[in-house]
Structures are given as C-alpha cells and as structure tokens.
Amino acid sequence: GAVVSQHPSRVICKSGTSVKIECRSLDFQATTMFWYRQFPKQSLMLMATSNEGSKATYEQGVEKDKFLINHASLTLSTLTVTSAHPEDSSFYICSAGGLSGNTIYFGEGSWLTVV
Amino acid sequence: GNSVTQMEGPVTLSEEAFLTINCTYTATGYPSLFWYVQYPGEGLQLLLKATKADDKGSNKGFEATYRKETTSFHLEKGSVQVSDSAVYFCALSAFSNDYKLSFGAGTTVTVRA
C-alpha cells in the first residue's frame, strides 16, 4: 500500500486564489520531503527540499514567496501555491525520506489547474 | 548542472515484445542513476538503480547498465507484459542515494495483449 499520500489528487482553482497540497507519510517519520513540479512533456523539476522544523530550501528560480512549504511535523508537509496564475497549472509531486536513510517514497501527485 | 534526457513516448508494443527506453545524462562527478515507474493512479516507485560505472541494476525483468563512456542508462526488458504499462522515469542524483533527483520527462509505455 501507499506509504506517502498526496491530497488532493486534482484541484481546480481560480486565478488569484491560493491552493494547498498536502503530502503525508503514512507509516514512517519523514525527516526530509521534496517537492517536484512537472509541466507537460517536460521533466520533473525539483522545487524545494524541506526538513521537519526548519525552513525549506528552494531551488534556483523557484519563488519561495509564491510556493510556501511548511513541514511542521514528521508526517506532513504542505505546499501552498499563493495567488495562483494559469502558468502555475502543473503536476506537483512530493517525496519523503525517513530517519533510516536511503529509501525515498513518492506520493501519487497532484494535478493543479488554474483557470 | 545535472540533466537527464529520456526517449520520448508514447511507446506502444505487444505483449512479449522487447522494450528499450533510452536515457542519457549530463552530470558533474559520479552520479547515481535510477529508473522509476509510475503505474496509473499510484506514486513513483523505484524500479532499479546503479551507483557506479558498469553497475547493472535489475528488477522485475528490467535491466539497465550504468555506462559512463556513453553517459547512458538505457532501460530494457526482454518480454513485456500488459502489467508493465506505466510511465517510466530516468533520474540521477549527485548523492549516493536518491535525494534531490533530476528527472527525465518520462516515457509512457502501453503494452497490448
């Protein structure tokens, strides 16, 4: 069964609104979570790395004020897309790693459409 | 920086056919290489990996060999099944594990009975 769950799987929002995507580790403590984004026919791109209890580290070119990442507990990280625009429409996917080290588990991904 | 170029899809083939998905990479140093698979409605799952040159990763009948001389990590399976229908992603990491991955665009494979 799934060890990392993302919610919602699909969301449509209006331009200018904010939308939150959750990433939960179901049966392990995720010290590190990663957020990726994929535009159509392009690669999955790492957006940011979040460690529980500390600020996320964003990749170059990713606006930290627009894509707010919170990793307040060892089982939950959230990505909030603020003031969404149609160009933010994309596939967002998270992955999580636990205390034991190397194994990374991915969520199912979330399709965001901004209209 | 690091990047992965993956064969474009979609790929459609018949059961028991041979599957190859090409993957080449650009990286500094000695990256680790991965193939992930995403079945419909599920998250990405690690299919196989190789952490150094000439290593061969294998799982579920799939194989890929880390070729430093050609900077490639092509995925192969000798006889595909309908259940292999999925999206396949090639990826690399500058780390020895799968933290902070750089992915290819993904290749959709459909196997018909």
PDB file of all heavy atoms in Angstrom, chain B residues 10-33:
ATOM      1  N   PRO B  10       4.705   8.517 -26.674  1.00  0.00           N
ATOM      2  CA  PRO B  10       4.444   7.240 -26.019  1.00  0.00           C
ATOM      3  C   PRO B  10       4.947   6.055 -26.834  1.00  0.00           C
ATOM      4  O   PRO B  10       5.149   6.167 -28.030  1.00  0.00           O
ATOM      5  CB  PRO B  10       2.926   7.218 -25.904  1.00  0.00           C
ATOM      6  CG  PRO B  10       2.444   8.040 -27.055  1.00  0.00           C
ATOM      7  CD  PRO B  10       3.496   9.108 -27.255  1.00  0.00           C
ATOM      8  N   VAL B  11       5.159   4.971 -26.120  1.00  0.00           N
ATOM      9  CA  VAL B  11       5.588   3.735 -26.753  1.00  0.00           C
ATOM     10  C   VAL B  11       4.460   2.716 -26.598  1.00  0.00           C
ATOM     11  O   VAL B  11       3.956   2.514 -25.494  1.00  0.00           O
ATOM     12  CB  VAL B  11       6.874   3.197 -26.075  1.00  0.00           C
ATOM     13  CG1 VAL B  11       7.223   1.831 -26.625  1.00  0.00           C
ATOM     14  CG2 VAL B  11       8.022   4.177 -26.269  1.00  0.00           C
ATOM     15  N   THR B  12       4.074   2.117 -27.696  1.00  0.00           N
ATOM     16  CA  THR B  12       3.040   1.084 -27.670  1.00  0.00           C
ATOM     17  C   THR B  12       3.620  -0.178 -28.269  1.00  0.00           C
ATOM     18  O   THR B  12       4.205  -0.130 -29.356  1.00  0.00           O
ATOM     19  CB  THR B  12       1.794   1.511 -28.458  1.00  0.00           C
ATOM     20  OG1 THR B  12       1.287   2.728 -27.906  1.00  0.00           O
ATOM     21  CG2 THR B  12       0.716   0.443 -28.374  1.00  0.00           C
ATOM     22  N   LEU B  13       3.492  -1.270 -27.568  1.00  0.00           N
ATOM     23  CA  LEU B  13       4.004  -2.527 -28.097  1.00  0.00           C
ATOM     24  C   LEU B  13       3.131  -3.683 -27.647  1.00  0.00           C
ATOM     25  O   LEU B  13       2.297  -3.537 -26.739  1.00  0.00           O
ATOM     26  CB  LEU B  13       5.468  -2.740 -27.711  1.00  0.00           C
ATOM     27  CG  LEU B  13       5.932  -2.689 -26.279  1.00  0.00           C
ATOM     28  CD1 LEU B  13       7.344  -3.256 -26.186  1.00  0.00           C
ATOM     29  CD2 LEU B  13       5.966  -1.256 -25.766  1.00  0.00           C
ATOM     30  N   SER B  14       3.361  -4.811 -28.249  1.00  0.00           N
ATOM     31  CA  SER B  14       2.570  -6.002 -27.952  1.00  0.00           C
ATOM     32  C   SER B  14       3.219  -6.804 -26.838  1.00  0.00           C
ATOM     33  O   SER B  14       4.425  -6.686 -26.579  1.00  0.00           O
ATOM     34  CB  SER B  14       2.445  -6.884 -29.204  1.00  0.00           C
ATOM     35  OG  SER B  14       1.814  -6.182 -30.242  1.00  0.00           O
ATOM     36  N   GLU B  15       2.407  -7.588 -26.188  1.00  0.00           N
ATOM     37  CA  GLU B  15       2.917  -8.468 -25.136  1.00  0.00           C
ATOM     38  C   GLU B  15       4.040  -9.344 -25.680  1.00  0.00           C
ATOM     39  O   GLU B  15       4.008  -9.769 -26.830  1.00  0.00           O
ATOM     40  CB  GLU B  15       1.776  -9.359 -24.622  1.00  0.00           C
ATOM     41  CG  GLU B  15       1.639  -9.363 -23.135  1.00  0.00           C
ATOM     42  CD  GLU B  15       0.428 -10.118 -22.626  1.00  0.00           C
ATOM     43  OE1 GLU B  15      -0.332 -10.676 -23.438  1.00  0.00           O
ATOM     44  OE2 GLU B  15       0.250 -10.128 -21.412  1.00  0.00           O
ATOM     45  N   GLU B  16       5.031  -9.572 -24.843  1.00  0.00           N
ATOM     46  CA  GLU B  16       6.211 -10.384 -25.135  1.00  0.00           C
ATOM     47  C   GLU B  16       7.199  -9.677 -26.057  1.00  0.00           C
ATOM     48  O   GLU B  16       8.226 -10.271 -26.423  1.00  0.00           O
ATOM     49  CB  GLU B  16       5.829 -11.750 -25.708  1.00  0.00           C
ATOM     50  CG  GLU B  16       4.982 -12.582 -24.743  1.00  0.00           C
ATOM     51  CD  GLU B  16       4.674 -13.959 -25.279  1.00  0.00           C
ATOM     52  OE1 GLU B  16       5.169 -14.303 -26.361  1.00  0.00           O
ATOM     53  OE2 GLU B  16       3.926 -14.699 -24.616  1.00  0.00           O
ATOM     54  N   ALA B  17       6.935  -8.456 -26.427  1.00  0.00           N
ATOM     55  CA  ALA B  17       7.901  -7.699 -27.241  1.00  0.00           C
ATOM     56  C   ALA B  17       9.052  -7.230 -26.363  1.00  0.00           C
ATOM     57  O   ALA B  17       8.974  -7.220 -25.131  1.00  0.00           O
ATOM     58  CB  ALA B  17       7.209  -6.508 -27.900  1.00  0.00           C
ATOM     59  N   PHE B  18      10.133  -6.813 -27.038  1.00  0.00           N
ATOM     60  CA  PHE B  18      11.304  -6.287 -26.354  1.00  0.00           C
ATOM     61  C   PHE B  18      11.150  -4.779 -26.181  1.00  0.00           C
ATOM     62  O   PHE B  18      10.773  -4.074 -27.116  1.00  0.00           O
ATOM     63  CB  PHE B  18      12.561  -6.588 -27.180  1.00  0.00           C
ATOM     64  CG  PHE B  18      13.839  -6.178 -26.530  1.00  0.00           C
ATOM     65  CD1 PHE B  18      14.473  -7.033 -25.638  1.00  0.00           C
ATOM     66  CD2 PHE B  18      14.419  -4.938 -26.793  1.00  0.00           C
ATOM     67  CE1 PHE B  18      15.670  -6.661 -25.029  1.00  0.00           C
ATOM     68  CE2 PHE B  18      15.604  -4.565 -26.187  1.00  0.00           C
ATOM     69  CZ  PHE B  18      16.228  -5.425 -25.308  1.00  0.00           C
ATOM     70  N   LEU B  19      11.449  -4.315 -24.979  1.00  0.00           N
ATOM     71  CA  LEU B  19      11.313  -2.882 -24.680  1.00  0.00           C
ATOM     72  C   LEU B  19      12.678  -2.280 -24.388  1.00  0.00           C
ATOM     73  O   LEU B  19      13.461  -2.835 -23.602  1.00  0.00           O
ATOM     74  CB  LEU B  19      10.408  -2.671 -23.461  1.00  0.00           C
ATOM     75  CG  LEU B  19      10.345  -1.254 -22.894  1.00  0.00           C
ATOM     76  CD1 LEU B  19       9.654  -0.305 -23.886  1.00  0.00           C
ATOM     77  CD2 LEU B  19       9.624  -1.233 -21.558  1.00  0.00           C
ATOM     78  N   THR B  20      12.940  -1.160 -25.028  1.00  0.00           N
ATOM     79  CA  THR B  20      14.114  -0.341 -24.681  1.00  0.00           C
ATOM     80  C   THR B  20      13.661   1.098 -24.549  1.00  0.00           C
ATOM     81  O   THR B  20      12.946   1.611 -25.421  1.00  0.00           O
ATOM     82  CB  THR B  20      15.198  -0.397 -25.784  1.00  0.00           C
ATOM     83  OG1 THR B  20      15.668  -1.723 -25.925  1.00  0.00           O
ATOM     84  CG2 THR B  20      16.374   0.498 -25.417  1.00  0.00           C
ATOM     85  N   ILE B  21      14.064   1.731 -23.468  1.00  0.00           N
ATOM     86  CA  ILE B  21      13.834   3.169 -23.296  1.00  0.00           C
ATOM     87  C   ILE B  21      15.204   3.793 -23.086  1.00  0.00           C
ATOM     88  O   ILE B  21      15.914   3.460 -22.133  1.00  0.00           O
ATOM     89  CB  ILE B  21      12.936   3.485 -22.092  1.00  0.00           C
ATOM     90  CG1 ILE B  21      11.605   2.751 -22.198  1.00  0.00           C
ATOM     91  CG2 ILE B  21      12.695   4.994 -22.013  1.00  0.00           C
ATOM     92  CD1 ILE B  21      10.697   2.932 -20.990  1.00  0.00           C
ATOM     93  N   ASN B  22      15.562   4.685 -23.997  1.00  0.00           N
ATOM     94  CA  ASN B  22      16.886   5.309 -23.915  1.00  0.00           C
ATOM     95  C   ASN B  22      16.921   6.439 -22.895  1.00  0.00           C
ATOM     96  O   ASN B  22      15.959   7.209 -22.763  1.00  0.00           O
ATOM     97  CB  ASN B  22      17.301   5.859 -25.277  1.00  0.00           C
ATOM     98  CG  ASN B  22      17.622   4.748 -26.255  1.00  0.00           C
ATOM     99  OD1 ASN B  22      17.908   3.618 -25.878  1.00  0.00           O
ATOM    100  ND2 ASN B  22      17.565   5.071 -27.544  1.00  0.00           N
ATOM    101  N   CYS B  23      18.045   6.524 -22.212  1.00  0.00           N
ATOM    102  CA  CYS B  23      18.258   7.593 -21.237  1.00  0.00           C
ATOM    103  C   CYS B  23      19.723   7.984 -21.271  1.00  0.00           C
ATOM    104  O   CYS B  23      20.600   7.121 -21.146  1.00  0.00           O
ATOM    105  CB  CYS B  23      17.873   7.120 -19.844  1.00  0.00           C
ATOM    106  SG  CYS B  23      18.300   8.287 -18.522  1.00  0.00           S
ATOM    107  N   THR B  24      19.979   9.259 -21.443  1.00  0.00           N
ATOM    108  CA  THR B  24      21.340   9.783 -21.342  1.00  0.00           C
ATOM    109  C   THR B  24      21.352  10.907 -20.331  1.00  0.00           C
ATOM    110  O   THR B  24      20.311  11.516 -20.043  1.00  0.00           O
ATOM    111  CB  THR B  24      21.868  10.295 -22.699  1.00  0.00           C
ATOM    112  OG1 THR B  24      20.975  11.297 -23.192  1.00  0.00           O
ATOM    113  CG2 THR B  24      21.982   9.165 -23.705  1.00  0.00           C
ATOM    114  N   TYR B  25      22.518  11.178 -19.800  1.00  0.00           N
ATOM    115  CA  TYR B  25      22.586  12.174 -18.739  1.00  0.00           C
ATOM    116  C   TYR B  25      23.792  13.082 -18.916  1.00  0.00           C
ATOM    117  O   TYR B  25      24.753  12.760 -19.611  1.00  0.00           O
ATOM    118  CB  TYR B  25      22.638  11.491 -17.371  1.00  0.00           C
ATOM    119  CG  TYR B  25      23.923  10.717 -17.118  1.00  0.00           C
ATOM    120  CD1 TYR B  25      25.031  11.320 -16.529  1.00  0.00           C
ATOM    121  CD2 TYR B  25      24.020   9.374 -17.484  1.00  0.00           C
ATOM    122  CE1 TYR B  25      26.199  10.621 -16.318  1.00  0.00           C
ATOM    123  CE2 TYR B  25      25.199   8.666 -17.271  1.00  0.00           C
ATOM    124  CZ  TYR B  25      26.276   9.297 -16.701  1.00  0.00           C
ATOM    125  OH  TYR B  25      27.448   8.597 -16.501  1.00  0.00           O
ATOM    126  N   THR B  26      23.708  14.217 -18.257  1.00  0.00           N
ATOM    127  CA  THR B  26      24.821  15.153 -18.133  1.00  0.00           C
ATOM    128  C   THR B  26      24.989  15.443 -16.659  1.00  0.00           C
ATOM    129  O   THR B  26      24.012  15.796 -15.977  1.00  0.00           O
ATOM    130  CB  THR B  26      24.532  16.470 -18.888  1.00  0.00           C
ATOM    131  OG1 THR B  26      24.281  16.188 -20.257  1.00  0.00           O
ATOM    132  CG2 THR B  26      25.713  17.425 -18.775  1.00  0.00           C
ATOM    133  N   ALA B  27      26.186  15.244 -16.166  1.00  0.00           N
ATOM    134  CA  ALA B  27      26.404  15.461 -14.735  1.00  0.00           C
ATOM    135  C   ALA B  27      27.874  15.711 -14.468  1.00  0.00           C
ATOM    136  O   ALA B  27      28.741  15.262 -15.215  1.00  0.00           O
ATOM    137  CB  ALA B  27      25.929  14.257 -13.929  1.00  0.00           C
ATOM    138  N   THR B  28      28.117  16.406 -13.388  1.00  0.00           N
ATOM    139  CA  THR B  28      29.487  16.539 -12.916  1.00  0.00           C
ATOM    140  C   THR B  28      29.728  15.439 -11.891  1.00  0.00           C
ATOM    141  O   THR B  28      28.814  14.989 -11.209  1.00  0.00           O
ATOM    142  CB  THR B  28      29.716  17.912 -12.266  1.00  0.00           C
ATOM    143  OG1 THR B  28      28.719  18.088 -11.238  1.00  0.00           O
ATOM    144  CG2 THR B  28      29.568  19.029 -13.274  1.00  0.00           C
ATOM    145  N   GLY B  29      30.924  14.992 -11.816  1.00  0.00           N
ATOM    146  CA  GLY B  29      31.239  13.958 -10.842  1.00  0.00           C
ATOM    147  C   GLY B  29      30.679  12.606 -11.232  1.00  0.00           C
ATOM    148  O   GLY B  29      30.570  12.276 -12.415  1.00  0.00           O
ATOM    149  N   TYR B  30      30.287  11.856 -10.222  1.00  0.00           N
ATOM    150  CA  TYR B  30      29.845  10.472 -10.428  1.00  0.00           C
ATOM    151  C   TYR B  30      28.460  10.292  -9.832  1.00  0.00           C
ATOM    152  O   TYR B  30      28.324   9.899  -8.676  1.00  0.00           O
ATOM    153  CB  TYR B  30      30.863   9.527  -9.777  1.00  0.00           C
ATOM    154  CG  TYR B  30      32.257   9.712 -10.331  1.00  0.00           C
ATOM    155  CD1 TYR B  30      33.164  10.556  -9.702  1.00  0.00           C
ATOM    156  CD2 TYR B  30      32.646   9.074 -11.499  1.00  0.00           C
ATOM    157  CE1 TYR B  30      34.435  10.752 -10.226  1.00  0.00           C
ATOM    158  CE2 TYR B  30      33.908   9.248 -12.028  1.00  0.00           C
ATOM    159  CZ  TYR B  30      34.802  10.101 -11.383  1.00  0.00           C
ATOM    160  OH  TYR B  30      36.044  10.287 -11.909  1.00  0.00           O
ATOM    161  N   PRO B  31      27.444  10.570 -10.634  1.00  0.00           N
ATOM    162  CA  PRO B  31      26.082  10.499 -10.096  1.00  0.00           C
ATOM    163  C   PRO B  31      25.618   9.060  -9.906  1.00  0.00           C
ATOM    164  O   PRO B  31      26.190   8.120 -10.456  1.00  0.00           O
ATOM    165  CB  PRO B  31      25.257  11.189 -11.178  1.00  0.00           C
ATOM    166  CG  PRO B  31      26.001  10.899 -12.445  1.00  0.00           C
ATOM    167  CD  PRO B  31      27.464  10.957 -12.056  1.00  0.00           C
ATOM    168  N   SER B  32      24.568   8.912  -9.137  1.00  0.00           N
ATOM    169  CA  SER B  32      23.833   7.655  -9.075  1.00  0.00           C
ATOM    170  C   SER B  32      22.680   7.749 -10.061  1.00  0.00           C
ATOM    171  O   SER B  32      22.117   8.834 -10.271  1.00  0.00           O
ATOM    172  CB  SER B  32      23.297   7.428  -7.657  1.00  0.00           C
ATOM    173  OG  SER B  32      24.356   7.301  -6.743  1.00  0.00           O
ATOM    174  N   LEU B  33      22.316   6.644 -10.661  1.00  0.00           N
ATOM    175  CA  LEU B  33      21.289   6.634 -11.707  1.00  0.00           C
ATOM    176  C   LEU B  33      20.129   5.727 -11.305  1.00  0.00           C
ATOM    177  O   LEU B  33      20.349   4.678 -10.661  1.00  0.00           O
ATOM    178  CB  LEU B  33      21.890   6.164 -13.035  1.00  0.00           C
ATOM    179  CG  LEU B  33      23.059   6.994 -13.554  1.00  0.00           C
ATOM    180  CD1 LEU B  33      23.667   6.349 -14.799  1.00  0.00           C
ATOM    181  CD2 LEU B  33      22.605   8.417 -13.881  1.00  0.00           C
TER     182      LEU B  33
END
